Amino acid sequence: MSGHTHSLKHLLGWLITGTRGGPTRVKILEVLKDKPQNTNQLSMLLGMDYKTIRHHLEVLEKNRLIISVGDRYGMTYFLSRMMEDNYSLFEEIKNKLGKK
């Protein structure tokens, strides 16, 4: 495992299994893998508060797991290239969450 992949594994592990918001972040990443969305669409799709979704999007974007295109209300989120390239690693970690 390269150093880059190793540090990504730690990052994903922390963001998904190490924090209370992990399950929400998993849902967001799964939705964005299927189709880019804006905050409002994610909020409606997941039946969650807009501000909550925004918080998680900010965390995911700050950690370079997602990227945004557009501005303010029209901002659309996509999985980052790094996240797309390592989606199987994400699934592996996500599956551990389900077993907790």
Side-chain angles (χ1 to χ4, degrees):
M1 191 181 291
S2 74
H4 178 72
T5 307
H6 190 69
S7 60
L8 178 63
K9 187 171 188 168
H10 279 290
L11 175 66
L12 281 170
W14 177 75
L15 285 171
I16 292 167
T17 61
T19 62
R20 217 182 51 202
T24 300
R25 291 197 262 271
V26 165
K27 289 177 194 160
I28 291 170
L29 290 167
E30 288 174 331
V31 168
L32 294 180
K33 178 162 179 27
D34 289 338
K35 183 176 176 226
Q37 304 279 341
N38 67 31
T39 309
N40 200 39
Q41 290 167 319
L42 282 165
S43 171
M44 289 174 68
L45 265 170
L46 299 174
M48 298 177 90
D49 182 66
Y50 182 89
K51 283 188 183 133
T52 301
I53 295 293
R54 247 202 37 213
H55 163 75
H56 290 296
L57 289 170
E58 284 169 11
V59 171
L60 291 168
E61 190 169 25
K62 191 174 77 187
N63 287 286
R64 301 195 317 266
L65 299 180
I66 63 172
I67 56 168
S68 58
V69 176
D71 53 15
R72 288 197 54 99
Y73 298 107
M75 195 173 285
T76 302
Y77 294 89
F78 298 78
L79 292 185
S80 68
R81 182 69 190 266
M82 178 180 75
M83 186 64 195
E84 282 184 356
D85 291 347
N86 293 282
Y87 200 79
S88 59
L89 184 64
F90 162 71
E91 291 191 307
E92 187 186 307
I93 294 165
K94 176 187 78 172
N95 291 337
K96 286 182 189 149
L97 180 67
K99 292 183 178 81
K100 271 192 167 178

